[in-house]
Amino acid sequence: MAAIATAIVVSFSNSSSPLFLSKLTSRLHFASFPMRFHLSTRKLMSHSQPRASTLGLTHPTIIETPKISFTATDVDVTEWKGDILAVGVTEKDLTRDAKSRFENLILNKIDSKLDGLLAEASSEEDFSGKVGQSTVLRIKGLGSKRVGLIGLGQSPSNIALFKGFGEAVVAAAKSAQASNVAIVLASSEGLSSESKLNSAYAIASGAVLGLFEDQRYKSESKKPTLRSIDIIGLGKGPELEKKLKYAGDVSSGILFGRELVNSPANVLTPGVLAEEASKVASTYSDVFTATILNVDQCKELKMGSYLAVAEASANPPHFIHLVYKPPIGTVNTKLALVGKGLTFDSGGYNIKTGPGCSIELMKFDMGGSAAVLGAAKALGQIKPLGVEVHFIVAACENMISGTGMRPGDVVTASNGKTIEVNNTDAEGRLTLADALVYACNQGVDKIVDLATLTGACVVALGPSVAGIFSPNDELVKEVVEASELSGEKLWRLPIEESYWESMKSGVADMVNTGGRQGGSITAALFLKQFVDEKIQWLHIDMAGPVWNDKKRSATGFGVATLVEWVLKNASS
């Protein structure tokens, strides 16, 4: 009698928005092994109520993407039938004996069916198993039409490498227009049960994210052919099923975050961002509530720092506050996730000019809010217990007009502190100031904020690593451990208190920028002025990894780490 497993079907849809994949529903049914995990996207629906025309007459195209099925199986790799058998190999796996045969058992088994063609081709193409290397051969002799070798480096020991492997497999599938692929690790036998689960999670996540192409704003879209991926040799059963579902939940949040950041500022206004946040809350109304504050309500809370940034824009600001509460049980920990929400940043009167200013990319200045809302979407599906989470975004635009904030103006934040604005292009920290004060007033124990805050952090750490700042070592440890599980890269930078001298003003409590030196540190010191000392706080400057220049697309950075961190603070 065949063993019984649960097949998981996860679908994305949005019943009221033309913009995003906001709603995720899941259903469970029973089937025989192999276990299947399905990821699919339904059609995005237009708004049920009429809306004003988008600036530039631009509206996102309604796109339906295909269902992706993941199957966990232990089938013999030489007998698997399909388009591509993709083998992840380390440099050590390519070791050969005196007769030039692979010593690795899986590679040897495959190559014996191919009369040594795989060994010969890998030598001729100088394939050594390094990360980023791959070779795909059209062959006869196996059940598969093609076999691919994809490099994993010396010893793949982190989630990021396996996510990269999943993305590389999908890239090969796209190139070959394959509809089904099998994935196997050449050395999976040596992995522990936990390592196999984590590897399967990372590979599935990488594959889903690698398949993503945001075509909503193109006049013509391509339909990917890939329909199914078989994962061979990494186990099967309830634990793997749980990991694959988790991969789907987190990936849905990352894709949501990517789409938010990718959307142009003439489509994603502060109001639309608030609308999308509200839809996350309504989709998961069993655990979420939403509060959206308008200008008058923000004035009542004396958010002068935030409102000063928004003053020049024709699109009014919207202050977003979602609250997650577990469906059952008591709350042991209260957390806040605060995301910078500048849907466009012109720089204001200190307008962004010259090479490298990237003004045309300033739609991504709400990347912190995208990470926060993407995490909210994922957590709405996961539903952790024992933890309450506040998701806070002060959404607005930084524009130029006769009513706009000027260099030299003095603004007053909601905690009463005054700020001399010596640079209107250092606006994100002004919005975060009031958002952090608001977060502290929610009675939370810990706060993590995320912001595309400084170019200085990009100069320091490059495009792939986010800087983190915190006076609390314990919180740093928690977030770094979460990032290691997510595969996202963080690096702790110091909060050098002596640098505060450069932030002093002659007419106010502080200026909003210091000198050019240590710009990301002085920015963190500025934010620190608006956090209650009794609350643990950590700041993530994600200006570098928010965007992938090569792909010209958002990364969804931060979502996975935030989810992992919340789960670390949950009771189950």
Side-chain angles (χ1 to χ4, degrees):
M1 179 177 175
I4 300 298
T6 303
I8 301 176
V9 180
V10 183
S11 304
F12 299 99
S13 68
N14 190 337
S15 60
S16 59
S17 171
L19 291 178
F20 309 111
L21 311 178
S22 291
K23 183 178 180 182
L24 184 142
T25 58
S26 64
R27 64 180 186 273
L28 303 181
H29 65 274
F30 290 95
S32 298
F33 270 121
M35 184 187 71
R36 292 181 175 84
F37 167 83
H38 299 289
L39 179 63
S40 65
T41 307
R42 295 178 182 171
K43 282 188 177 180
L44 302 174
M45 305 300 291
S46 61
H47 282 263
S48 56
Q49 299 296 325
R51 298 182 59 191
S53 296
T54 303
L55 179 66
L57 303 182
T58 300
H59 294 277
T61 304
I62 297 173
I63 293 176
E64 183 175 12
T65 53
K67 181 169 64 177
I68 309 297
S69 170
F70 287 90
T71 303
T73 180
D74 289 328
V75 66
D76 188 315
V77 293
T78 61
E79 296 178 2
W80 179 83
K81 290 180 172 58
D83 292 324
I84 301 177
L85 174 65
V87 187
V89 295
T90 65
E91 295 176 37
K92 183 180 178 181
D93 292 332
L94 294 171
T95 303
R96 303 178 196 188
D97 61 20
K99 296 182 179 179
S100 296
R101 293 177 300 196
F102 290 116
E103 293 183 0
N104 178 272
L105 295 178
I106 287 181
L107 292 179
N108 186 285
K109 177 184 279 191
I110 295 171
D111 211 24
S112 65
K113 295 280 189 178
L114 301 176
D115 296 325
L117 177 63
L118 199 60
E120 182 181 339
S122 62
S123 294
E124 290 180 357
E125 296 189 20
D126 198 26
F127 179 83
S128 61
K130 293 180 179 178
V131 175
Q133 286 187 323
S134 64
T135 182
V136 180
L137 305 175
R138 178 89 185 198
I139 47 89
K140 291 183 178 180
L142 295 179
S144 60
K145 296 176 183 177
R146 293 175 177 83
V147 62
L149 299 182
I150 297 177
L152 295 174
Q154 292 185 348
S155 178
S157 56
N158 61 57
I159 295 296
L161 281 172
F162 285 114
K163 281 188 176 180
F165 174 45
E167 290 192 30
V169 170
V170 168
K174 286 180 180 178
S175 179
Q177 294 187 316
S179 62
N180 47 73
V181 172
I183 294 177
V184 63
L185 300 178
S187 299
S188 61
E189 295 87 352
L191 297 177
S192 66
S193 297
E194 183 179 2
S195 294
K196 286 184 178 181
L197 289 173
N198 289 335
S199 299
Y201 156 76
I203 291 168
S205 298
V208 171
L209 300 177
L211 191 67
F212 172 79
E213 289 184 50
D214 196 346
Q215 303 180 78
R216 295 167 300 153
Y217 299 98
K218 295 185 178 181
S219 57
E220 296 181 5
S221 60
K222 300 176 294 183
K223 291 185 178 180
T225 58
L226 186 60
R227 295 290 184 273
S228 66
I229 296 178
D230 292 347
I231 300 177
I232 301 175
L234 293 180
K236 52 190 179 182
E239 287 300 313
L240 184 56
E241 168 196 320
K242 185 178 179 181
K243 273 291 184 183
L244 290 177
K245 181 186 182 301
Y246 180 64
D249 293 340
V250 176
S251 295
S252 73
I254 294 172
L255 294 181
F256 180 48
R258 286 185 182 182
E259 289 197 315
L260 286 170
V261 177
N262 281 342
S263 284
N266 62 327
V267 174
L268 186 74
T269 61
V272 172
L273 184 61
E275 197 176 310
E276 291 303 318
S278 295
K279 284 170 191 160
V280 170
S282 63
T283 300
Y284 309 106
S285 58
D286 58 328
V287 290
F288 270 107
T289 57
T291 301
I292 309 297
L293 304 181
N294 60 28
V295 173
D296 289 338
Q297 290 169 314
C298 291
K299 285 180 179 178
E300 289 177 9
L301 294 173
K302 299 181 179 181
M303 295 183 177
S305 184
Y306 162 47
L307 292 176
V309 177
E311 191 67 37
S313 177
N315 292 308
H318 289 70
F319 192 95
I320 301 164
H321 180 201
L322 305 186
V323 181
Y324 168 89
K325 292 187 178 180
I328 57 172
T330 58
V331 170
N332 303 315
T333 305
K334 293 184 179 181
L335 310 175
L337 303 178
V338 179
K340 177 182 172 184
L342 268 292
T343 58
F344 186 76
D345 174 25
S346 70
Y349 279 109
N350 291 107
I351 192 168
K352 296 177 184 290
T353 59
C357 73
S358 300
I359 190 170
E360 74 283 0
L361 289 177
M362 283 303 111
K363 65 180 183 179
F364 73 40
D365 214 18
M366 39 64 64
S369 66
V372 166
L373 296 179
K377 178 178 173 61
L379 291 165
Q381 300 160 62
I382 298 167
K383 298 182 183 7
L385 302 180
V387 63
E388 177 178 306
V389 190
H390 296 257
F391 304 82
I392 297 168
V393 175
C396 65
E397 292 181 323
N398 185 26
M399 302 296 282
I400 299 173
S401 79
T403 63
M405 177 177 66
R406 294 153 295 215
D409 284 357
V410 174
V411 301
T412 305
S414 49
N415 65 346
K417 293 189 178 182
T418 57
I419 306 154
E420 180 186 2
V421 180
N422 62 358
N423 190 329
T424 62
D425 194 24
E427 84 302 328
R429 64 198 70 181
L430 296 175
T431 68
L432 287 169
D434 283 325
L436 288 168
V437 173
Y438 183 93
C440 291
N441 290 337
Q442 305 311 307
V444 298
D445 305 302
K446 305 173 188 179
I447 299 173
V448 170
D449 79 71
L450 300 91
T452 49
L453 204 62
T454 67
C457 201
V458 185
V459 172
L461 299 177
S464 301
V465 183
I468 60 172
F469 303 82
S470 178
N472 189 279
D473 292 341
E474 182 182 344
L475 183 55
V476 169
K477 184 173 182 290
E478 283 183 14
V479 174
V480 168
E481 287 177 353
S483 74
E484 289 170 351
L485 293 172
S486 74
E488 295 176 328
K489 297 178 181 178
L490 305 179
W491 190 262
R492 188 181 189 181
L493 293 169
I495 296 183
E496 179 52 54
E497 294 289 348
S498 66
Y499 290 3
W500 184 247
E501 190 67 26
S502 70
M503 299 293 288
K504 291 182 178 179
S505 166
V507 298
D509 294 331
M510 67 195 81
V511 292
N512 69 326
T513 63
R516 288 178 59 83
Q517 296 178 330
S520 58
I521 297 174
T522 53
L525 284 169
F526 179 90
L527 297 180
K528 186 171 178 283
Q529 310 309 306
F530 303 92
V531 180
D532 189 319
E533 291 182 356
K534 298 177 183 178
I535 298 173
Q536 295 183 36
W537 162 74
L538 182 141
H539 161 59
I540 301 178
D541 191 331
M542 53 182 283
V546 70
W547 189 258
N548 186 315
D549 279 325
K550 184 177 180 181
K551 296 180 179 179
R552 300 176 184 177
S553 178
T555 62
F557 184 91
V559 173
T561 295
L562 292 183
V563 172
E564 292 285 357
W565 179 64
V566 170
L567 294 182
K568 276 184 152 308
N569 282 273
S571 59
S572 62

